[in-house]
Amino acid sequence: MWLNPIDYFAGLIERETGIVYVESNIFQLKMRLEEFCRIEKISNVDELAKMFQDQSIQLDQRQRLIDMATNNETLFFRDPKYFTSIETFIKSEILKTDPREIKIWSAASSTGQEALSVAMTLDLLSKKTPLPPYSILATDICDKALKKCKSGLYTEFETKRGLSDENREFYFKKEGDLWKANSDLLSRIKYTYNNLIRSSVYDTFHIILCRNVLIYQKVDMRKTVVDTLFLQLEENGALLLGAGETLVGIRDEIKTDMIDGISFYKKNKPSFRKIA
Ligand SMILES: C[S@@+](CC[C@H](N)C(=O)[O-])C[C@H]1O[C@@H](n2cnc3c(N)ncnc32)[C@H](O)[C@@H]1O
C-alpha cells in the first residue's frame, strides 16, 4: 500500500533510529524533509521517497537524512548537578574498588559538550584526588554532530552556554572566531558512530550517560536500549538518564542511588530484605 511520503519517512526514521514522529511533531518532519530536498537539489518529498524505494539514494545522502531527523540540542555542563554527582559517585563508589581505569560512555553525545564536560570534571577531580587513567567514549548516530565533536571547535555562543570563563580560559584556546578544546582534554575522548537501537559498542563502563535521547522513543524501544546499556555496565557501574527521564515503567526492579538529586541506576538489583 502506498503511504504518503511523510508517513513513509516517519516509519523509516523510526525503524533506523527509534526516533518517533507523531501527530504533534510530524509537521516538523515535513519541514525538515522539504529543507533536505532543497539542499540536496531533489525536486520534492515524493521524488525523495521514490529514490529511497527504488534504492537510487546514495549512502551519504541516506546518512544526511538520518542526521536531519535528529535533535542535537546540548550544552556544556547541561544540568550542572550531574557533574558534581558524577564526582561524588567516582569518589564514593568507583575508587573503592581500586579500578585500573575509569571508563565513561556518553551514549548520545551530540556535538561533544557532554563528553568534554565529563573530561573537565575528571581533570578537576584529579587535582584533588589521585585517579587511575580515565577515558570517555562519545558516540552518536548523527555523522554531522560527530564531525563537530572530533574538531573540538565551538563558537563563542556555544562556549557561553554552560562553560565558565575560568574553564574556557583553561581548557580552550581561541582559533580565529572559534574556541578549540585543548589536546589533553580531546585525547581523553574517543568519538565514534553508534546506533543505540542496534549497538555495536562491546565494552563495559563505570558510568553510562544516556541523556535526552530516550524521550524520542517508544516505551518498547526504550526497554531494548536500556537492557543493552545495563549489559555494558561494570558491576559497580551506573546508568544516568536525562533530568526529565526515568526508568519507572521501563525497568522497575532496579537499585537506584540518589546523589545530589540525580538518579544513579545501578547494575545490581536490590537485595530483598529478609522477613523474620
Ligand atoms: C538532544 S541530544 C542530547 C545530547 C546530550 N546527551 C545531552 O543531553 O545534552 C540527542 C542526541 O541523541 C542522538 N540520537 C538519537 N537517536 C539515536 C540513536 N538511535 N543512537 C544514537 N544516538 C541517537 C541524536 O543524534 C542527538 O545528538
Side-chain angles (χ1 to χ4, degrees):
M1 193 184 70
W2 172 247
L3 291 173
N4 85 53
I6 309 296
D7 289 343
Y8 167 77
F9 282 110
L12 181 125
I13 288 160
E14 184 177 340
R15 282 193 305 282
E16 293 296 315
T17 68
I19 298 169
V20 184
Y21 279 96
V22 283
E23 224 176 299
S24 55
N25 61 353
I26 199 87
F27 184 70
Q28 186 187 32
L29 176 61
K30 181 174 180 290
M31 302 292 285
R32 287 181 175 187
L33 285 166
E34 285 168 359
E35 174 69 355
F36 181 81
C37 289
R38 197 185 57 72
I39 295 169
E40 299 285 327
K41 301 191 176 15
I42 296 165
S43 49
N44 53 43
V45 181
D46 275 305
E47 181 62 27
L48 179 65
K50 282 198 198 89
M51 289 169 75
F52 266 83
Q53 282 160 344
D54 67 21
Q55 298 184 355
S56 59
I57 196 87
Q58 309 285 319
L59 263 182
D60 57 338
Q61 272 179 320
R62 194 185 168 84
Q63 180 58 47
R64 287 198 292 276
L65 186 105
I66 299 295
D67 287 9
M68 169 284 296
T70 62
N71 170 359
N72 306 121
E73 166 61 11
T74 190
L75 59 149
F76 287 102
F77 293 95
R78 184 177 196 171
D79 301 312
K81 273 190 173 175
Y82 276 83
F83 299 90
T84 48
S85 66
I86 286 174
E87 189 179 320
T88 307
F89 182 71
I90 290 175
K91 284 192 289 194
S92 61
E93 285 281 331
I94 306 299
L95 292 182
K96 237 171 30 191
T97 57
D98 205 11
R100 288 209 326 246
E101 186 189 358
I102 298 175
K103 291 185 287 179
I104 298 180
W105 181 15
S106 166
S109 58
S110 185
T111 40
Q113 287 89 329
E114 182 175 86
L116 283 165
S117 304
V118 172
M120 285 181 260
T121 301
L122 269 76
D123 185 64
L124 290 166
L125 177 61
S126 72
K127 292 177 177 142
K128 299 182 273 183
T129 309
L131 289 184
Y134 54 88
S135 62
I136 299 152
L137 176 68
T139 65
D140 202 278
I141 200 174
C142 176
D143 199 42
K144 195 170 165 204
L146 282 172
K147 282 192 178 119
K148 184 173 172 76
C149 286
K150 284 180 194 155
S151 76
L153 287 165
Y154 296 89
T155 63
E156 177 87 15
F157 177 70
E158 286 165 334
T159 63
K160 289 283 181 199
R161 296 186 72 209
L163 203 56
S164 65
D165 289 349
E166 201 185 351
N167 279 342
R168 189 172 76 171
E169 282 310 311
F170 192 78
Y171 291 111
F172 289 75
K173 74 169 192 302
K174 201 88 198 269
E175 269 195 21
D177 287 343
L178 301 174
W179 289 86
K180 187 168 172 84
N182 76 29
S183 52
D184 185 45
L185 218 49
L186 288 173
S187 71
R188 303 280 181 183
I189 307 170
K190 188 177 159 219
Y191 296 103
T192 185
Y193 173 91
N194 185 54
N195 184 350
L196 285 167
I197 71 171
R198 42 186 100 98
S199 183
S200 49
V201 170
Y202 298 110
D203 206 348
T204 51
F205 301 88
H206 297 97
I207 299 174
I208 301 179
L209 291 136
C210 183
R211 300 194 305 157
N212 306 305
V213 57
L214 297 182
I215 37 167
Y216 301 106
Q217 300 178 353
K218 285 188 179 151
V219 170
D220 281 354
M221 188 58 83
R222 292 181 199 174
K223 283 187 179 154
T224 311
V225 170
V226 164
D227 283 349
T228 313
L229 293 177
F230 270 99
L231 291 175
Q232 292 174 274
L233 281 175
E234 290 280 331
E235 278 310 301
N236 59 342
L239 170 68
L240 304 188
L241 302 182
E245 296 169 316
T246 172
L247 281 192
V248 175
I250 295 179
R251 200 174 153 134
D252 293 319
E253 264 299 287
I254 206 83
K255 184 167 183 277
T256 310
D257 285 356
M258 294 296 285
I259 305 177
D260 299 336
I262 306 298
S263 298
F264 279 66
Y265 297 107
K266 307 287 290 290
K267 184 181 182 94
N268 294 318
K269 289 188 178 165
S271 49
F272 291 101
R273 260 191 310 140
K274 265 195 189 159
I275 301 168

